[in-house]
Amino acid sequence: MFWILTILLLIIMAIISYEVFYNSSFYKFLAVEILVLITAVYLFAFYRRIIKPLQIIGDGMELLKEQDFSSRLRRVGQTEADRIVDVFNKMMEQLKNERLYLREQNQFLDLLVKASPLGVIILDLDEKIQSVNPATCKIFGLKTSDNIIGKHLIEIDSPLAIELLNIEKYDSQTIRLNNANIYKSTHSSFVDQGFHHSFYLIESLTEEVFKAEKKAYEKVIRMIAHEVNNTTAGITSTLDTLQNTFKEVENTEDIHEVLQVAIERCYSMSRFITNFADVVRIPEPQRQNFELNTLVSSCKLFMENVCRNRNIQIVMKLSEISPVVKIDSLLFEQVLVNIIKNSAESIGRDGEIFIQTTNDPVCLEIADTGKGIDKDTEAKLFSPFFSTKPNGQGLGLIFIREVLQKHDYTFSLQTGKDGLTRFRIWM
């Protein structure tokens, strides 16, 4: 625009000069030519001092608009314009360095989050899942994150997701689930582009807690078993001697009977403490390939009489093609016996136990129509020495947990909305 106006002005001045040259004196023509020259010099100076700096500012604005922080403006040899160029170039260099630093930081954080053993769940402004790391997929048992991205936590079929919703922002909780897994979860937020985004950190404490629990109860059980067995052995020996002595004395039948009761009580106490010691001495599994349906059918036959006496029916729904699993059959049969026994005791009398196997995924499910498990009890089921039975020792589920973990199987135990209590084992 400036150059168009300049050309028009020069054309006008040329026309005026032409008219003066033909219609006026030499001195008037000379005065007009000097005026034209002065105008041209003024326009050049005006361009250098005003227009060119404005053009430089415009070029800089275009670079900022395109976010091209690598380009620079050239100096033009004019003091004011060069000052603007220097300030602009310095600002662009700083913006480039800051962007490069942020890019490196973001890349580092992305790598850190992906490699972290902690599960990380980032939510968007609508509280939907925006991104998760591989550790989260492992915790939720997912092969990829595609199944949960864009969903609310409430839409995820996982008891852990439900528990996360109960954590207040900027708070942490230790969560113990019905599959014996333990997590420490933190709910917090960070600011991105001026908006607060919620995120969850999930730390698995299962292995550490189980190791600490096992170390503690192993020491206690060994100490108690040693003391009790030594004591009962001495007492039983003494009672046997007394019983044999009183056999030769007349009219001592009552004393003989009392001694027999005491001896039997000592043996019962010894067996009681031996049960605890057996949990500590669970052998490593010797795995071989077995058909899962065959193992289940064998255990069903073994437990059928117990269930029949309680008027409990065992209903089988096995897959047409039996899953083949690599398993220690002796240990696993004992696990199945314990689970079916627990189901029968939960029912009491008159009920059903449903046993089902599937191929994809390979899973065994044992469900019963018993009284069910409340929410508070679920978290304590696989804790050492916890039992809901009046005379329970709290060892059955610990044994089941230890065997399944030695096989690297995952499992869960909970009562569904349909009233059935399901023990699921994924192989």
Side-chain angles (χ1 to χ4, degrees):
M1 180 64 72
F2 171 78
W3 291 113
I4 293 174
L5 292 175
T6 301
I7 292 171
L8 288 175
L9 182 60
L10 291 175
I11 291 172
I12 292 171
M13 295 300 294
I15 293 172
I16 293 173
S17 299
Y18 177 80
E19 291 294 331
V20 170
F21 177 77
Y22 284 99
N23 300 319
S24 303
S25 65
F26 173 75
Y27 293 102
K28 287 183 179 181
F29 172 74
L30 182 61
V32 170
E33 289 299 317
I34 292 172
L35 179 61
V36 170
L37 181 61
I38 292 173
T39 302
V41 171
Y42 174 77
L43 288 173
F44 179 75
F46 182 78
Y47 169 77
R48 292 263 308 190
R49 296 183 63 86
I50 305 297
I51 302 302
K52 195 161 189 177
L54 290 176
Q55 286 183 341
I56 291 172
I57 293 173
D59 293 341
M61 293 302 102
E62 287 297 320
L63 292 177
L64 287 175
K65 183 178 178 181
E66 296 174 5
Q67 296 188 359
D68 182 5
F69 300 138
S70 299
S71 299
R72 300 291 182 269
L73 299 178
R74 289 186 299 176
R75 295 170 65 90
V76 295
Q78 202 274 333
T79 306
E80 287 76 7
D82 288 345
R83 189 180 301 169
I84 294 173
V85 169
D86 291 341
V87 171
F88 179 83
N89 288 341
K90 185 177 180 180
M91 180 183 68
M92 293 291 278
E93 183 68 24
Q94 186 174 356
L95 287 173
K96 176 186 174 183
N97 292 336
E98 288 181 358
R99 167 167 282 198
L100 183 62
Y101 174 76
L102 288 175
R103 187 178 298 166
E104 291 173 348
Q105 288 292 98
N106 288 336
Q107 185 179 11
F108 171 72
L109 289 174
D110 287 342
L111 292 173
L112 188 64
V113 168
K114 288 180 180 178
S116 173
L118 299 180
V120 181
I121 302 176
I122 300 175
L123 306 182
D124 60 19
L125 299 179
D126 296 324
E127 296 298 316
K128 293 182 179 179
I129 297 176
Q130 179 176 317
S131 66
V132 297
N133 66 339
T136 303
C137 294
K138 184 178 179 181
I139 289 171
F140 282 101
L142 303 172
K143 293 182 179 178
T144 64
S145 60
D146 297 339
N147 294 332
I148 60 175
I149 296 296
K151 292 183 178 180
H152 291 95
L153 284 172
I154 192 68
E155 297 174 332
I156 300 176
D157 184 19
S158 168
L160 177 58
I162 305 301
E163 294 296 333
L164 291 177
L165 289 172
N166 297 327
I167 303 176
E168 297 291 335
K169 191 173 285 188
Y170 310 114
D171 191 16
S172 297
Q173 285 186 17
T174 299
I175 300 171
R176 193 159 193 157
L177 301 179
N178 52 36
N179 57 5
N181 287 327
I182 304 168
Y183 302 97
K184 182 179 180 181
S185 302
T186 302
H187 183 193
S188 190
S189 69
F190 66 96
V191 178
D192 181 30
Q193 298 182 356
F195 296 97
H196 285 269
H197 293 253
S198 292
F199 71 92
Y200 291 90
L201 295 178
I202 309 170
E203 179 182 5
S204 178
L205 303 177
T206 307
E207 188 174 349
E208 289 78 5
V209 171
F210 284 174
K211 283 181 179 178
E213 285 181 351
K214 190 172 183 179
K215 187 176 180 180
Y217 71 66
E218 277 182 357
K219 185 175 181 180
V220 171
I221 288 173
R222 285 196 181 107
M223 183 181 65
I224 294 175
H226 176 75
E227 295 299 326
V228 170
N229 286 332
N230 286 346
T231 303
T232 54
I235 293 173
T236 304
S237 178
T238 303
L239 292 174
D240 280 335
T241 302
L242 287 173
Q243 191 178 41
N244 292 330
T245 301
F246 279 105
K247 280 183 180 179
E248 301 175 359
V249 181
E250 295 182 357
N251 301 321
T252 57
E253 290 81 3
D254 292 342
I255 297 175
H256 185 276
E257 186 177 344
V258 169
L259 290 173
Q260 184 61 36
V261 170
I263 291 171
E264 290 177 358
R265 180 58 184 157
C266 286
Y267 284 133
S268 296
M269 185 178 296
S270 181
R271 286 193 299 270
F272 179 84
I273 200 64
T274 299
N275 289 336
F276 283 98
D278 288 341
V279 175
V280 177
R281 295 192 294 264
I282 297 175
E284 289 298 318
Q286 304 299 314
R287 300 189 185 188
Q288 293 180 352
N289 287 331
F290 284 95
E291 289 190 356
L292 182 59
N293 289 357
T294 303
L295 290 175
V296 171
S297 300
S298 174
C299 288
K300 185 241 185 183
L301 291 174
F302 180 75
M303 294 298 295
E304 213 160 25
N305 284 334
V306 175
C307 293
R308 190 181 294 114
N309 293 336
R310 297 169 178 260
N311 195 28
I312 297 172
Q313 184 181 3
I314 300 178
V315 181
M316 305 278 280
K317 188 179 179 182
L318 306 182
S319 58
E320 293 183 3
I321 301 176
S322 175
V324 177
V325 292
K326 200 166 187 177
I327 202 167
D328 187 317
S329 61
L330 295 177
L331 286 175
F332 195 72
E333 283 176 352
Q334 189 59 42
V335 166
L336 293 181
V337 167
N338 275 324
I339 296 174
I340 296 172
K341 179 173 172 287
N342 286 342
S343 294
E345 290 175 349
S346 175
I347 294 171
R349 292 193 62 83
D350 305 326
E352 291 177 308
I353 296 174
F354 304 94
I355 302 178
Q356 180 179 357
T357 60
T358 58
N359 259 302
D360 188 17
V362 178
C363 178
L364 168 64
E365 179 184 294
I366 302 174
D368 65 70
T369 57
K371 57 187 178 182
I373 305 169
D374 58 55
K375 194 69 176 177
D376 293 334
T377 304
E378 273 187 10
K380 303 175 186 176
L381 284 174
F382 294 93
S383 300
F385 313 124
F386 174 80
S387 177
T388 57
K389 304 170 188 174
N391 299 317
Q393 299 176 24
L395 296 177
L397 289 178
I398 290 296
F399 174 81
I400 293 170
R401 184 190 81 181
E402 293 292 331
V403 172
L404 293 180
Q405 286 182 338
K406 284 178 181 289
H407 281 82
D408 296 322
Y409 293 162
T410 57
F411 56 93
S412 69
L413 173 59
Q414 66 181 128
T415 301
K417 294 180 180 179
D418 56 1
L420 293 178
T421 301
R422 293 179 172 85
F423 199 120
R424 290 191 180 103
I425 303 171
W426 290 274
M427 304 176 182

